[in-house]
């Protein structure tokens, strides 16, 4: 039988479950390690060690609902995504981009200094590796390259994990973005963990990932181990409760821009923007300058300040306000824009999906609006 080892993988080994601690400790030598941790009854991403992992916890998610219980489950990664993602670490909600100072010689601009060590993310799920790939495309490769994202992303490391269990609102399988970290995204996932019953398969797919695996003792992963990995991924796919008609996108959106459902959704929508905050692919932002006048003298005042960028959202009424009016004046138009950008325009703009099927927007919407149900409704009769 042909070996199941994928060609792209540079290094692969099997480690004991407790040896994940060695991986964490090794990472901590050179990185700020950001991993899953319990906080106020939720799994968040935070600076974390092996001892912080919510091992054996399980979350129960529904529309507008999240509950976490300690089920002492055998699998470390029995829990699924919480509201957090890499986003707030690489693209902070409020971020100083640069400072400026005006003098007689002109305006001098100084990029904001990066503080701290590079980040190693541990436990990033397949869906979020796709979201990170989209972020890289937008902020590192696109026409609006962003030095502050680049500074935070540079030298960062991603330890991704193939999900052994889906969250109740996940639909990544139908989007083709999970639950497995596939070769399309191993360029952003330096190491991929696959949890087996008694061990982890650890696969390094980049030189940085390989370096970290050096010195961590392990055994060779056998074809039987890889078979177990494969069967766990398949059972995770089968256990996924939600799906979307991915093959019909984006035409389903374009065909239905005037569908009455948009109006119906607008009646339930609170415009709170929660969905945008938790979504790992939402990247809209706005910026403003904080200006300080100082040094008054006969020569005049010295002008200096900082450019601040903050997360924004299609749901914000001011986001579409321009000189002369607002080009998305209704809630219907704002909701439609949010969904259409995710499910239609992003792919055209960046050749990557704008929704990765993580289900966070469903869980954290206080009105219980479910993107999969909204899509299904668009297929219905007008
Ligand atoms: S739109 Fe919802 S399901 Fe899709 S990536 Fe964003 S939060 Fe996840
Ligand atoms: S869809 Fe839900 S989470 Fe998003 S703005 Fe509307 S009420 Fe808030």
């Amino acid at each position: 039988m042909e070996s199941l080892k994928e060609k792209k993988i540079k290094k692969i080994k099997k480690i004991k479950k407790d040896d994940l601690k060695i991986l964490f400790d090794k990472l901590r030598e050179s990185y700020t390690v950001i991993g899953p941790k319990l906080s106020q009854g939720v799994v968040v991403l935070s600076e974390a060690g092996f001892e912080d992992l919510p091992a054996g916890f399980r979350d129960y998610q529904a529309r507008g609902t999240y509950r976490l219980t300690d089920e002492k489950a055998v699998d470390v990664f029995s829990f699924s995504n919480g509201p957090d993602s890499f986003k707030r670490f690489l693209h902070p909600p409020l971020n100083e981009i640069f400072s400026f100072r005006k003098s007689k010689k002109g305006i001098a601009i100084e990029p904001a200094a990066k503080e701290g060590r590079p980040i190693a993310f541990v436990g990033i799920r397949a869906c979020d590796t796709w979201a990170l790939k989209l972020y890289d495309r937008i902020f590192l490769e696109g026409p609006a390259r962003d030095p502050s994202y680049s500074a935070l992303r540079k030298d960062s490391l991603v330890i991704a994990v193939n999900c052994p269990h889906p969250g109740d609102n996940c639909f990544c399988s139908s989007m083709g973005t999970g639950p497995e970290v596939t070769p399309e995204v191993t360029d952003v996932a330096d190491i991929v963990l696959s949890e087996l019953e008694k061990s982890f398969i650890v696969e390094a797919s980049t030189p940085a990932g390989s370096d970290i695996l050096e010195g961590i003792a392990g055994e060779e992963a056998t074809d039987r181990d890889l078979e177990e990995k494969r069967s766990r991924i398949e059972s995770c796919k089968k256990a996924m409760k939600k799906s979307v008609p991915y093959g019909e996108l984006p035409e389903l959106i374009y065909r239905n821009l005037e569908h009455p459902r948009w109006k119906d959704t607008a009646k339930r929508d609170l415009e709170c923007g929660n969905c945008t905050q938790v979504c790992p692919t939402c990247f809209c932002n706005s910026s403003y300058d904080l200006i300080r006048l100082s040094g008054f003298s006969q020569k005049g005042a010295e002008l200096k300040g900082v450019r601040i960028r903050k997360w924004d959202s299609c749901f914000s009424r001011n986001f579409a306000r321009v000189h002369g009016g607002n080009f998305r004046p209704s809630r219907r138009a704002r909701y439609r824009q949010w969904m259409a950008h995710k499910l239609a325009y992003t792919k055209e703009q960046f050749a990557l999906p704008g929704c990765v099927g993580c289900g966070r927007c469903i869980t954290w919407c206080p009105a219980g609006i479910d993107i999969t149900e909204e899509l299904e409704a668009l297929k219905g009769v007008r």
Side-chain angles (χ1 to χ4, degrees):
M1 190 174 94
E2 197 184 322
S3 170
L4 293 169
K5 290 173 191 170
E6 291 91 334
K7 278 190 191 133
K8 276 193 111 179
I9 302 301
K10 292 188 172 68
K11 194 168 284 177
I12 174 165
K13 56 175 78 171
K14 183 171 72 169
I15 62 168
K16 291 186 203 129
K17 287 205 176 176
D18 283 349
D19 286 351
L20 210 51
K21 180 175 184 333
I22 301 171
L23 178 65
F24 265 91
D25 292 345
K26 192 125 197 272
L27 290 169
R28 278 171 139 178
E29 289 168 13
S30 326
Y31 296 90
T32 297
V33 179
I34 302 293
K37 193 173 180 173
L38 294 180
S39 175
Q40 300 178 55
V42 175
V43 175
V44 296
L45 288 182
S46 176
E47 192 160 349
F50 173 73
E51 60 289 351
D52 294 310
L53 278 175
F57 275 75
R58 225 215 109 192
D59 49 72
Y60 293 88
Q61 304 191 31
R63 293 187 299 154
T65 303
Y66 180 97
R67 297 281 177 274
L68 195 64
T69 58
D70 183 1
E71 301 201 347
K72 309 215 175 342
V74 177
D75 284 340
V76 173
F77 290 97
S78 290
F79 56 93
S80 59
N81 273 325
D84 259 345
S85 67
F86 65 86
K87 181 167 101 168
R88 75 183 173 92
F89 299 93
L90 298 180
H91 178 56
L94 202 65
N95 196 18
E96 186 182 315
I97 307 296
F98 58 78
S99 59
F100 52 85
R101 179 186 292 266
K102 185 167 180 268
S103 68
K104 276 185 180 171
K105 291 182 193 159
I107 295 179
I109 291 180
E110 189 73 31
K114 185 198 158 204
E115 288 165 16
R117 304 197 298 171
I119 298 173
F121 293 100
V122 179
I124 299 295
R125 309 305 176 107
C127 54
D128 282 3
T129 61
W130 281 89
L132 182 55
K133 195 171 173 101
L134 177 67
Y135 258 68
D136 285 354
R137 187 148 302 171
I138 295 165
F139 291 123
L140 296 182
E141 301 160 21
R145 289 175 199 194
D146 175 16
S148 79
Y149 177 83
S150 166
L152 290 166
R153 177 77 169 107
K154 188 170 178 288
D155 301 325
S156 65
L157 202 78
V158 174
I159 320 297
V161 60
N162 288 321
C163 289
H165 310 283
D168 301 311
N169 285 329
C170 295
F171 56 95
C172 60
S173 186
S174 60
M175 294 296 296
T177 51
E180 180 181 15
V181 181
T182 48
E184 299 98 305
V185 276
T186 44
D187 53 339
V188 295
D190 300 277
I191 294 176
V192 182
L193 304 173
S194 303
E195 185 159 11
L196 308 184
E197 198 187 333
K198 294 186 178 141
S199 53
F200 281 102
I201 293 180
V202 191
E203 300 169 64
S205 48
T206 66
S210 281
D211 286 349
I212 289 291
L213 285 203
E214 283 292 337
I216 297 181
E219 295 170 34
E220 193 177 335
T222 62
D223 278 353
R224 195 170 173 176
D225 295 325
L226 295 169
E227 197 59 66
E228 186 183 345
K229 169 192 159 184
R230 174 73 27 225
S231 105
R232 286 192 137 220
I233 289 166
E234 286 311 312
S235 66
C236 181
K237 280 185 190 169
K238 282 193 193 125
M240 218 164 280
K241 296 174 187 159
K242 289 184 184 285
S243 65
V244 292
Y246 182 66
E248 296 177 42
L249 297 172
E251 288 73 20
L252 182 60
I253 297 282
Y254 290 139
R255 261 200 332 267
N256 289 293
L257 289 174
E258 299 306 326
H259 197 288
R261 180 71 178 196
W262 301 115
K263 205 168 171 187
D264 175 78
T265 316
K267 284 186 198 149
R268 291 174 282 134
D269 178 17
L270 305 171
E271 291 191 291
C272 63
N274 261 19
C275 49
T276 318
Q277 310 275 310
V278 297
C279 178
T281 63
C282 276
F283 59 90
C284 289
N285 56 78
S286 52
S287 57
Y288 58 93
D289 292 342
L290 274 180
I291 295 174
R292 293 188 195 98
L293 289 171
S294 63
F296 280 95
S297 70
Q298 284 179 334
K299 292 177 191 163
E302 184 189 49
L303 179 73
K304 60 183 179 180
V306 288
R307 168 75 48 94
I308 304 286
R309 186 177 61 198
K310 67 178 179 68
W311 288 359
D312 212 327
S313 163
C314 332
F315 290 98
S316 156
R317 292 179 186 207
N318 281 332
F319 193 59
R321 190 183 300 281
V322 292
H323 176 71
N326 192 319
F327 56 86
R328 280 196 286 273
S330 66
R331 193 176 290 172
R332 166 186 173 273
R334 289 190 281 277
Y335 184 80
R336 184 178 61 184
Q337 165 63 19
W338 182 75
M339 222 165 112
H341 195 193
K342 310 221 135 283
L343 300 166
Y345 315 145
T346 303
K347 188 124 198 215
E348 290 174 6
Q349 284 176 298
F350 303 108
L352 284 170
C355 168
V356 294
C358 70
R360 289 180 177 97
C361 57
I362 306 170
T363 304
W364 300 98
C365 172
I369 295 172
D370 178 337
I371 191 171
T372 65
E373 286 179 13
E374 297 308 313
L375 262 184
E376 206 50 46
L378 290 183
K379 289 162 79 180
V381 187
R382 291 176 181 215

